[in-house]
Amino acid sequence: MRHFTLAVILETIVCTTFGQAEKVQASFVYNFTKYVEWPASTKSGNFIIGIYGNSAIYDELIKVAESKKAGSQPIVVKKIGNAGEITDQHMLFVAANKSREVGEIVTKVGSKPTLIITESANNIDKGVAINFVVVDNKQRFELKRESLTERGLKISSELEKFAIMR
């Protein structure tokens, strides 16, 4: 049943056109909370999603956080104004206008259990785990398993089926 649910949700999202990118990306981000496993030490308190840079995904994720949880954890979405504010987020979304800082961000996060998500070309090769891309006018995502495992995160094989693996 879980596989079927994921397939239906992701197929619906993938078939959505680029015109609603922020809503689609927010749906992806929320669904990543279901198919990525964080270490036990991070499963209490709030589930923190940091948004670094200017992106409308912030407003969309605020809406998601009002009605959803990441497992049993309440979701808190925080704007991050500078790289110095990057601390212990479960997820870190780096907006396109901050893509030039990806190398610095990856170094700052280090081996912390943070899922780094971007939306600019070539970031997947800089230590990012997930990068949003548009393929045939459809929102998709690239995934680099090594960037997850280096941070102690585990990914469901079901999610890998929908990713462009790098």
Side-chain angles (χ1 to χ4, degrees):
M1 180 66 172
R2 185 174 175 179
H3 175 71
F4 175 76
T5 303
L6 175 66
V8 170
I9 291 169
L10 289 179
E11 284 294 329
T12 301
I13 292 169
V14 168
C15 292
T16 303
T17 60
F18 184 65
Q20 299 179 349
E22 296 83 14
K23 288 181 182 183
V24 174
Q25 289 175 349
S27 293
F28 270 118
V29 169
Y30 172 68
N31 280 295
F32 295 153
T33 70
K34 297 176 184 180
Y35 297 98
V36 174
E37 183 179 336
W38 279 262
S41 62
T42 66
K43 293 185 179 181
S44 62
N46 293 325
F47 186 93
I48 309 297
I49 301 174
I51 308 298
Y52 184 46
N54 298 324
S55 176
I57 196 173
Y58 174 81
D59 294 326
E60 295 301 326
L61 285 171
I62 290 290
K63 293 175 192 173
V64 169
E66 291 172 354
S67 62
K68 307 279 187 190
K69 289 186 174 190
S72 63
Q73 295 174 274
I75 297 172
V76 174
V77 182
K78 293 184 176 182
K79 279 191 177 182
I80 296 176
N82 62 64
E85 295 175 19
I86 297 170
T87 56
D88 295 321
Q89 291 79 21
H90 291 81
M91 291 182 171
L92 178 62
F93 179 87
V94 181
N97 70 312
K98 294 294 185 178
S99 65
R100 68 186 181 286
E101 298 177 41
V102 166
E104 174 188 351
I105 292 165
V106 168
T107 299
K108 180 159 181 53
V109 169
S111 62
K112 291 179 186 172
T114 300
L115 175 63
I116 302 173
I117 304 167
T118 61
E119 59 179 348
S120 298
N122 302 318
N123 283 336
I124 203 77
D125 296 324
K126 297 177 183 175
V128 168
I130 294 175
N131 184 55
F132 288 121
V133 293
V134 176
V135 178
D136 297 329
N137 260 354
K138 293 175 182 67
Q139 185 70 65
R140 300 281 314 273
F141 64 95
E142 301 172 307
L143 186 137
K144 190 166 185 178
R145 185 183 311 116
E146 296 81 22
S147 296
L148 285 158
T149 57
E150 289 171 356
R151 293 185 180 86
L153 305 174
K154 296 177 185 173
I155 186 163
S156 164
S157 60
E158 293 178 35
L159 187 60
E160 287 181 339
K161 293 175 185 176
F162 294 95
I164 300 166
M165 298 301 294
R166 301 290 185 206

